[in-house]
Amino acid sequence: MITSIVAPHAKGKAAQDKIFGANSAAVAAAAKLGADKVTNATIGAILDEDEKLICLPTVESVYRGLPTTELIAYAPIAGLPTFQEKVLEAAFGSSKPDGYIAAVATAGGSGVIHHAVWNYMSEGDTALTSDWYWGPYNVICKEMHRKLDTYKMLDENNQYNLPALQKKVKEILAHQDSLLLIINTPAHNPTGYSLSDEDMDGVIKILRDVTTDTNKTVTLLLDVAYLDYAGEKEEVRKFFRKISNLPSNILTIVAYSMSKGFTMYGQRTGAMIGVSASKEIIQEFKDVNQYSSRATWSNINRPCMATLAKIYTDQELLAKVEAEREHYYQMIKARADLFTKEAKACGLKILPYVAGFFISIPSNNPDAVCDRLHEDNIFAVPLAAGVRIAVCAVPLKKISGMAEKINKAMQTIEE
C-alpha cells in the first residue's frame, strides 16, 4: 500500500513550532481558567497592559486611509519604488553606510533569510550563527539542503565571544569558499542581547582578516527585526556606519521587517537591503533576489509598503509613529526592568538583557521546566538551551513574582 507520494527530498519533513505550540497551550488554559489566571509569556508581539494586541494608532490610520486601488493592486516584484527608497531611511536613520545600497521587498524578515540562504550558499554548505538563535534559521537552511552551525555567543563573563566566532569562521571557510554569517542584533531574539560597538568592530576585523588576499567571500546577514525597540532611535543605528565600504568580497545584507516596528506582524512585509563597495555586486544582488521573489511569492503586500512610504515622506506622521513606538518601548522596558530586578533578588540566572521583546534563562532541561511552570499557569517557550520569556506580551502586574516561580521550577527540575 502506498503511504507516501512526495518527492524523495521532501520525505520526512514535519515540525511543530515550539513557539506556536506553547502559545496554543496558553490559550487553551486561559479559555478553561480565565485569562486573568494565566500568564502567557510565549507571544512575540506587543500586548498592552490589558493583554490586547496593539497596533500603532498612526500606522493603523494611514493603512486604513489608503484608497482601495492602493489596497488591492499588484506591486512591482522588487517593491514599490517609494518603499525601496524610504525603507533605507527607516532602517538606517542618520547612519546610512557608505557604498552601493539597494533594497528588494520581501515577505517579512523571514523572506530575507530565505533569499540569503538560497542565493548566497551552495547546496550542502554551512551557515553560521550564535548558539542562541531564532529556530526558523535552521528550518530554512534544512528546507534548501543547507546546514547551520553555531558558535558560543557569550563567554564565561557573559561578554560577546569573538574568539569562538573567529574559530568557527575559520573552520567553515577551510572547507567552503563562501560563508553566510547571521547575526541578530540589536535586541537579539531570544536573549535581548545587543552587540556593542567594540563587538561589531571585532566581527568586521575577523571577516576582513579571513578574506584578505583570498578568493573567499562572506555574506554578513544582520537581522535587525527588533531595531525599533532596541533603544534610542539614532544611537542603536550607529553600528550601521561600520559596514561602509567593506572589501568587495564581503557583502552585508540587512534583514528589515515591518512586523515589529510597524506592528504589522501578519502583513508579512520586509526588505532585503544589500550594502557593498562594489556596484557590480549590488546590481547582482538586485537581479538574483528579485528573480527569487518572482519564483516564490511573486510580489508582496502593496498597502503595507505604501504605509511605510507615506509615513516616512511626512515628518508629522513620522513624529507621531516614533512617539507611539517610544511609549511601547518604555512599557516593555518597565516589564524587563522588573523581571531582571526580581531575578537578581531571587538568584535566577538570566542571560544579559539590553533591550527587546525577550529574556532568556539558561536551563539543562527547558522542556521539563516549562511543563513544571504550567502548574503555576505560566507558559513560556522551551529552547535548546533554556527558556524564553516574552516580556513584550506580559503585563506588569503578571511580571511581578514571575522570576521567583521560574526559579523554584528550575530548582525542582534541575536539583
Side-chain angles (χ1 to χ4, degrees):
M1 180 178 178
I2 295 175
T3 58
S4 172
I5 62 171
V6 299
H9 73 271
K11 287 186 182 295
K13 287 198 299 187
Q16 175 169 353
D17 188 285
K18 287 194 173 186
I19 298 171
F20 287 98
N23 181 53
S24 295
V27 170
K32 180 180 179 181
L33 304 171
D36 60 317
K37 294 181 174 61
V38 174
T39 299
N40 186 348
T42 71
I43 304 168
I46 304 173
L47 272 58
D48 65 16
E49 290 301 295
D50 295 320
E51 297 183 80
K52 298 289 190 286
L53 183 67
I54 70 103
C55 180
L56 299 181
T58 302
V59 170
E60 181 178 2
S61 175
V62 171
Y63 184 84
R64 290 183 182 276
L66 293 171
T68 300
T69 52
E70 198 67 33
L71 292 171
I72 66 172
Y74 284 124
I77 303 299
L80 295 174
T82 51
F83 172 79
Q84 291 176 294
E85 174 191 350
K86 292 300 180 180
V87 76
L88 302 184
E89 183 180 338
F92 297 132
S94 63
S95 296
K96 185 178 179 182
D98 297 329
Y100 294 95
I101 303 175
V104 175
T106 58
S110 300
V112 182
I113 310 302
H114 174 276
H115 282 10
V117 169
W118 180 245
N119 287 322
Y120 294 93
M121 296 179 68
S122 296
E123 185 170 347
D125 274 1
T126 299
L128 181 63
T129 195
S130 59
D131 56 345
W132 291 87
Y133 67 90
W134 184 54
Y137 290 162
N138 194 34
V139 176
I140 292 169
C141 285
K142 284 184 174 179
E143 171 70 3
M144 290 180 276
H145 298 266
R146 276 76 167 153
K147 302 170 189 173
L148 183 68
D149 201 353
T150 63
Y151 61 94
K152 189 173 177 59
M153 185 174 83
L154 301 171
D155 64 19
E156 61 275 8
N157 299 313
N158 273 339
Q159 299 297 311
Y160 189 66
N161 201 337
L162 287 167
L165 171 64
Q166 181 181 45
K167 181 179 178 182
K168 276 291 185 180
V169 167
K170 288 183 175 180
E171 179 183 310
I172 293 172
L173 282 177
H175 301 287
Q176 59 192 52
D177 290 332
S178 63
L179 170 66
L180 175 66
L181 172 62
I182 306 172
I183 296 182
N184 185 308
T185 191
H188 172 262
N189 175 7
T191 68
Y193 188 79
S194 296
L195 271 66
S196 68
D197 284 350
E198 292 75 21
D199 294 333
M200 189 57 66
D201 287 338
V203 170
I204 291 171
K205 183 178 186 305
I206 288 169
L207 302 186
R208 282 180 175 272
D209 289 348
V210 80
T211 55
T212 298
D213 297 327
T214 73
N215 64 347
K216 306 288 186 179
T217 64
V218 173
T219 301
L220 172 61
L221 176 53
L222 298 173
D223 185 347
V224 300
Y226 298 88
L227 181 66
D228 285 315
Y229 297 93
E232 196 281 321
K233 172 190 171 183
E234 296 300 347
E235 188 65 29
V236 299
R237 286 167 164 80
K238 285 182 178 178
F239 79 100
F240 285 126
R241 296 173 185 164
K242 298 180 182 296
I243 59 175
S244 296
N245 293 319
L246 294 179
S248 59
N249 53 352
I250 301 175
L251 169 67
T252 304
I253 295 174
V254 176
Y256 181 83
S257 171
M258 289 185 68
S259 295
K260 281 72 179 181
F262 285 78
T263 59
M264 303 184 87
Y265 312 98
Q267 298 301 300
R268 310 312 306 138
T269 305
M272 184 176 194
I273 304 171
V275 182
S276 175
S278 166
K279 182 178 180 180
E280 291 76 17
I281 293 295
I282 289 300
Q283 184 60 52
E284 177 188 65
F285 169 88
K286 291 192 293 184
D287 291 342
V288 302
N289 292 302
Q290 179 175 335
Y291 188 99
S292 290
S293 294
R294 190 67 181 95
T296 48
W297 51 73
S298 186
N299 54 48
I300 65 159
N301 190 315
R302 184 186 186 103
C304 203
M305 288 191 285
T307 297
L308 182 147
K310 184 170 183 178
I311 288 170
Y312 275 84
T313 303
D314 185 322
Q315 290 304 306
E316 184 177 344
L317 288 174
L318 180 57
K320 288 180 180 179
V321 168
E322 290 181 343
E324 291 159 7
R325 284 175 180 156
E326 175 65 16
H327 168 76
Y328 288 110
Y329 164 71
Q330 292 297 339
M331 183 184 75
I332 297 168
K333 184 177 183 298
R335 297 169 180 178
D337 287 348
L338 179 59
F339 187 91
T340 54
K341 177 183 176 182
E342 293 190 353
K344 184 176 181 181
C346 72
L348 176 66
K349 180 184 177 183
I350 65 174
L351 294 183
Y353 174 87
V354 177
F357 282 23
F358 309 110
I359 292 175
S360 284
I361 304 151
S363 170
N364 294 323
N365 199 341
D367 288 287
V369 170
C370 287
D371 288 343
R372 172 63 184 80
L373 286 173
H374 293 176
E375 296 177 19
D376 290 317
N377 296 320
I378 295 173
F379 293 82
V381 175
L383 305 174
V387 175
R388 192 190 82 171
I389 302 297
V391 290
C392 59
V394 182
L396 200 62
K397 62 187 176 185
K398 290 187 178 180
I399 292 285
S400 183
M402 193 176 170
E404 186 174 0
K405 290 177 181 178
I406 294 171
N407 195 41
K408 287 181 179 178
M410 293 187 67
Q411 289 174 344
T412 300
I413 296 299
E414 299 184 354
E415 65 184 6

